[in-house]
Amino acid sequence: MNWRLVAIPVTLIPIFIIAIQFDIQLDDLLAIGIFPFVGAIIVMMIKLGLQGIKFAYITRKYLGSFDSFFKLTGVRIGSEFIKFTTPMFVGAELVVIYYLHKKGVNPAKAAWIAIMDIVTEVFAAGLLSIMAGIIALLNGAYVVAAVILAVSIVITSLWMVMFFLSSKRTFQVPKILENLTKRFGKEKGAKAIKKTNTWMEEVCTMSRENLKTPESKKIFTISFLFSLASWSFYGISFMVIAMGTGFVISSFDSIMAVMGANAIGNLPITIGGSGLAEFGIVAYLNNLDPFAFEISEDIVGWNSVIGWRIATYYVPIVITWLLLVKLALSKISKS
């Protein structure tokens, strides 16, 4: 976990490059104003709170009242720290699986709950990003649209296909990976493969037992709506920041710009999408031209983009870290 703390300062490098390249001073950031900045933080925390509530809802629907609703919400919010500190938005599901297993939940059931949570998250984000890509395409921003659509369609399709196929077939570790693991890991590698295959078989069994039931369909639908709402608040956070600099943008356009940037930020290039998300917003809003980063008077300023990044990444990363350590990684007694 310590390497993640070291990785956080690395995410500042693209910010410094942008600030130096476009002569962004501290006064430019302060010009945003305290109220828009605090407002954006509050909106971002609402986004994270909705994610936490969704996870608590899914968990208690499948497991009953085995744990505090507020604690489950906090654990899910804390798990976002892992996503903030990885190249690509992955890893949060590992935290919740770990937490549920430590509480005595069967690993397969814990994995199923985590998968239901992450799939609805990816599906909602994917749909919004695809909408943003289509709008960019219709406006002639072919490069921006191509990147957004390629990333969104691939990631969304992969998750959804794997999710629904899990109810029809049993997945196992691919033979190539199995052979390599056994060759280099010897006996330990063989045991790891066997354990992984057993776990995947149990998860697929749970998928067959639950996915087609009316209750699970209801849980999926409600969770998906929660995810749409949470991602919408993420988009609105930029609108709040932009208001501080006098840049007027509608909530819909703000959501589309942020979700398009979010898709670009999902490229596994930088930690937490640092730099990619910022350039993605400007590319989307600056006449939808990915190569015209010199911003005119009528276009959102770089200070708004950097201020948005601080409010929706660096402040929440502290909060999620505290919740992760306090709740998810603390000593847990099995109920």
Side-chain angles (χ1 to χ4, degrees):
M1 186 63 67
N2 289 336
W3 70 268
R4 295 186 186 280
L5 296 177
V6 176
I8 295 172
V10 176
T11 64
L12 290 169
I13 295 176
I15 304 296
F16 287 136
I17 293 175
I18 292 172
I20 294 171
Q21 178 67 29
F22 299 102
D23 193 27
I24 306 299
Q25 305 294 328
L26 179 60
D27 290 342
D28 297 318
L29 295 177
L30 294 177
I32 296 173
I34 185 66
F35 292 112
F37 186 76
V38 172
I41 294 174
I42 292 173
V43 171
M44 182 61 182
M45 294 315 299
I46 293 174
K47 185 262 187 191
L48 294 176
L50 287 172
Q51 286 181 277
I53 292 171
K54 181 190 72 170
F55 170 70
Y57 164 76
I58 295 172
T59 303
R60 288 169 72 90
K61 277 294 182 180
Y62 282 112
L63 300 178
S65 303
F66 94 109
D67 200 3
S68 163
F69 188 92
F70 291 103
K71 191 169 185 179
L72 288 170
T73 301
V75 168
R76 180 61 182 88
I77 295 174
S79 71
E80 286 294 292
F81 176 83
I82 306 300
K83 290 168 67 175
F84 282 145
T85 54
T86 53
M88 235 180 141
F89 283 26
V90 294
E93 59 275 12
L94 300 178
V95 173
V96 298
I97 291 172
Y98 166 81
Y99 177 80
L100 293 176
H101 181 50
K102 287 293 184 182
K103 291 285 291 185
V105 180
N106 177 278
K109 182 168 284 189
W112 169 255
I113 292 170
I115 289 171
M116 179 69 82
D117 177 40
I118 195 67
V119 165
T120 52
E121 198 78 6
V122 171
F123 189 33
L127 285 182
L128 291 174
S129 296
I130 290 170
M131 284 177 58
I134 292 173
I135 291 173
L137 186 64
L138 293 175
N139 282 275
Y142 301 117
V143 176
V144 172
V147 175
I148 294 173
L149 290 173
V151 175
S152 302
I153 291 173
V154 168
I155 294 177
T156 306
S157 299
L158 180 62
W159 273 97
M160 297 310 295
V161 168
M162 294 289 287
F163 179 65
F164 288 110
L165 275 183
S166 66
S167 65
K168 299 181 181 298
R169 57 170 297 178
T170 300
F171 292 109
Q172 299 284 267
V173 176
K175 283 295 181 182
I176 296 177
L177 293 178
E178 180 179 343
N179 293 333
L180 287 173
T181 303
K182 289 180 177 179
R183 175 178 294 181
F184 294 104
K186 306 298 181 181
E187 185 178 347
K188 289 184 178 180
K191 288 182 178 179
I193 290 295
K194 183 178 179 180
K195 188 174 182 179
T196 302
N197 281 334
T198 301
W199 171 74
M200 292 175 71
E201 182 178 353
E202 291 174 349
V203 172
C204 291
T205 299
M206 286 209 64
S207 179
R208 282 189 288 273
E209 293 175 353
N210 291 287
L211 194 56
K212 295 181 180 180
T213 64
E215 181 66 14
S216 284
K217 290 179 180 179
K218 178 183 177 181
I219 293 172
F220 183 90
T221 302
I222 293 176
S223 299
F224 171 70
L225 294 176
F226 263 106
S227 294
L228 277 178
S230 69
W231 282 116
S232 296
F233 274 102
Y234 184 49
I236 291 171
S237 66
F238 181 74
M239 179 188 73
V240 175
I241 281 286
M243 286 180 178
T245 60
F247 178 74
V248 179
I249 181 173
S250 69
S251 58
F252 178 78
D253 289 338
S254 181
I255 292 170
M256 290 297 98
V258 170
M259 294 312 297
N262 182 68
I264 296 173
N266 274 339
L267 291 169
I269 298 174
T270 61
I271 297 171
S274 182
L276 296 177
E278 290 87 334
F279 275 97
I281 288 181
V282 173
Y284 197 93
L285 293 176
N286 191 10
N287 198 29
L288 298 175
D289 184 351
F291 303 109
F293 293 116
E294 293 295 337
I295 300 176
S296 63
E297 293 182 359
D298 298 327
I299 301 298
V300 62
W302 276 109
N303 57 339
S304 295
V305 178
I306 294 177
W308 169 78
R309 180 67 172 183
I310 294 172
T312 61
Y313 181 80
Y314 292 102
V315 174
I317 208 171
V318 176
I319 299 172
T320 55
W321 164 250
L322 293 174
L323 289 174
L324 177 69
V325 174
K326 181 68 175 177
L327 299 176
L329 302 182
S330 62
K331 291 184 179 180
I332 300 171
S333 58
K334 295 183 180 181
S335 57

